[in-house]
Amino acid sequence: MQLDIQIKRFNPEQDREPQWREYTVTLEPTDRVLDALHAVKWHHDGSLAFRRSCAHGICGSDGMMINGRNRLACKVLIKDLRQPIMVEPMRGFPVVKDLIVDMAGFFDKYRSVRPYLISDEAPPRTERLQSPAERERYEDTTKCILCGACTTSCPSFWANSAYVGPAAIVQAHRFIFDSRDQGRAERSAILNQASGVWRCRTIFNCTDACPRGINVTKAIGEVKKLLVKAATRPPHPPPTRD
Amino acid sequence: MWYRGGIGHWSWLLHRLTGVGVLLFLCLHILDTSLIALGPQHYNAIMGVYRLPLFRVLEVGLVASVLFHALNGVRIILIDVWVDLTRIHRLLFQIQMACFTLVMMPVAWIMLRPLLVQ
């Protein structure tokens, strides 16, 4: 089938403003948007720049805005989209070139929530065990691939780039609710700041955009509730009566 | 920034717009009631403007804005308190809009009837 695809192009060495360019390529309806981008790059304009790596929805490299919504180009089929397909870079990040955005700030925020196991205990000789129920508690947020689709679909992030963003909160959630982790207090302190979870307005764009199907809004809500509970808990346990 | 979001996106946008609309009305209301300080004729003049049919229609818009903002706020609070409701947030929005319609239909009729039956 003939496919019309419009791509928002920007070359910082030549262009002052991004501009839309249209291409017509021949593809199968069951091909993906990534295949369309390959067809443009390989047969029409080799200067088109975009990221992709695994091309199977695991690495999260090819996050971009497709027909107005954040998606992974390798997961969206042509037949599911209205033509002409409009492809542009994710919102809220500086554009490096064409569909490539600068994600340095995104990964700085990711690192700011200490996305690793924090434990004062000496490493055991075997695995740090936990029950299936304890593992299930944070199962959903283990699926994040850091593609940035959630953070760049969030109006709170567009309005204030200091906001830590849904992706970093999801990563924090993964460890905060891990029974083996002891870094809850320091992560909570980071997320309780003005740039933390309270900037979330429960808009659900992040949940809708997540290519891994993570209920991001729920994860953020759970962190909010945890912070409220910690703030309203009495500083000392009430005295017990004999 | 334009984004083709879902129900949550558009309800958030409408929440903001209705919030700004109600805030503008409050500012206007403070301004018009303060005209009494300049004399009753000024106050009566502005009240006369408010009795124009166009303002009656705008008043219906004001009630609709307050009602939408309130109901949407309650929906957000419910989701924030019971996070498992995130799974059915679309259904909650539909219920919210059903409540909105049920309240607005008689309210709009009562407010606009004097204009329609004249």
Side-chain angles (χ1 to χ4, degrees):
Chain A
M1 65 179 280
Q2 292 288 102
L3 173 76
D4 294 326
I5 180 167
Q6 292 186 13
I7 304 173
K8 201 178 217 179
R9 304 289 306 268
F10 177 68
N11 183 346
E13 293 173 356
Q14 294 174 2
D15 307 323
R16 300 180 89 184
E17 294 289 327
Q19 48 192 305
W20 289 96
R21 290 203 199 136
E22 184 161 357
Y23 305 89
T24 303
V25 291
T26 304
L27 288 167
E28 295 297 321
T30 48
D31 281 334
R32 306 156 302 167
V33 172
L34 181 63
D35 298 311
L37 294 174
H38 280 150
V40 171
K41 186 171 177 68
W42 293 339
H43 305 298
H44 292 268
D45 187 347
S47 69
L48 175 65
F50 57 91
R51 286 196 183 102
R52 58 102 173 83
S53 186
C54 79
H56 287 79
I58 297 299
C59 72
S61 307
D62 59 352
M64 54 190 74
M65 207 155 102
I66 300 167
N67 280 5
R69 288 181 173 140
N70 281 358
R71 295 286 182 264
L72 293 184
C74 61
K75 285 193 78 174
V76 182
L77 301 184
I78 301 294
K79 68 183 175 72
D80 295 331
L81 295 172
R82 191 183 299 167
Q83 282 201 54
I85 295 173
M86 315 281 283
V87 184
E88 52 192 304
M90 293 189 290
R91 294 262 161 88
F93 291 158
V95 177
V96 177
K97 190 187 176 194
D98 295 337
L99 303 173
I100 296 180
V101 289
D102 182 358
M103 296 182 73
F106 174 80
F107 285 109
D108 285 343
K109 282 168 187 152
Y110 162 66
R111 282 186 285 270
S112 77
V113 299
R114 320 267 164 92
Y116 41 80
L117 186 85
I118 297 173
S119 176
D120 295 334
E121 293 169 8
R125 290 180 60 204
T126 58
E127 296 91 342
R128 298 172 196 261
L129 296 177
Q130 62 183 172
S131 70
E134 287 170 334
R135 176 63 177 77
E136 186 62 29
R137 182 69 189 82
Y138 60 92
E139 162 65 20
D140 202 30
T141 45
T142 61
K143 296 185 287 186
C144 178
I145 53 173
L146 291 168
C147 63
C150 56
T151 296
T152 54
S153 70
C154 176
S156 298
F157 177 74
W158 301 336
N160 187 339
S161 59
Y163 174 37
V164 68
I169 300 171
V170 161
Q171 292 295 328
H173 179 283
R174 183 255 170 270
F175 288 98
I176 284 172
F177 292 96
D178 188 330
S179 59
R180 302 163 297 185
D181 187 85
Q182 295 172 346
R184 176 177 284 194
E186 55 186 288
R187 285 194 197 92
S188 297
I190 295 161
L191 296 174
N192 206 12
Q193 293 171 2
S195 57
V197 288
W198 306 113
R199 290 218 167 267
C200 169
R201 298 289 181 266
T202 320
I203 300 170
F204 285 96
N205 274 6
C206 50
T207 303
D208 292 344
C210 180
R212 304 284 293 164
I214 300 170
N215 189 342
V216 182
T217 312
K218 184 183 177 192
I220 297 173
E222 286 178 341
V223 175
K224 283 180 185 171
K225 285 189 78 172
L226 183 83
L227 294 177
V228 170
K229 269 186 190 164
T232 53
R233 193 179 299 146
H236 301 291
T240 52
R241 288 183 182 175
D242 293 328
Chain B
M1 283 191 186
W2 186 83
Y3 187 81
R4 221 176 107 231
I7 278 174
H9 182 76
W10 297 111
S11 64
W12 163 78
L13 204 58
L14 213 51
H15 193 80
R16 283 286 158 115
L17 289 173
T18 53
V20 170
V22 172
L23 181 68
L24 286 176
F25 166 76
L26 284 175
C27 294
L28 186 71
H29 190 50
I30 291 167
L31 204 66
D32 64 47
T33 48
S34 63
L35 285 177
I36 195 77
L38 300 175
Q41 69 277 18
H42 296 291
Y43 182 77
N44 289 339
I46 197 79
M47 286 301 116
V49 173
Y50 284 167
R51 288 194 188 95
L52 292 172
L54 171 68
F55 274 83
R56 184 50 70 94
V57 176
L58 290 176
E59 277 174 357
V60 175
L62 175 67
V63 173
S65 295
V66 171
L67 185 63
F68 178 86
H69 199 84
L71 289 174
N72 200 56
V74 168
R75 181 181 65 93
I76 300 291
I77 290 168
L78 289 176
I79 291 171
D80 278 348
V81 173
W82 290 286
V83 291
D84 281 331
L85 292 177
T86 50
R87 292 185 199 285
I88 55 162
H89 78 95
R90 288 182 185 86
L91 174 66
L92 287 177
F93 183 76
Q94 287 161 5
I95 293 169
Q96 170 195 327
M97 290 315 289
C99 294
F100 175 83
T101 310
L102 279 174
V103 175
M104 268 319 287
M105 279 193 340
V107 167
W109 171 246
I110 292 165
M111 292 181 74
L112 295 175
R113 192 172 52 180
L115 297 180
L116 299 172
V117 295
Q118 268 175 9

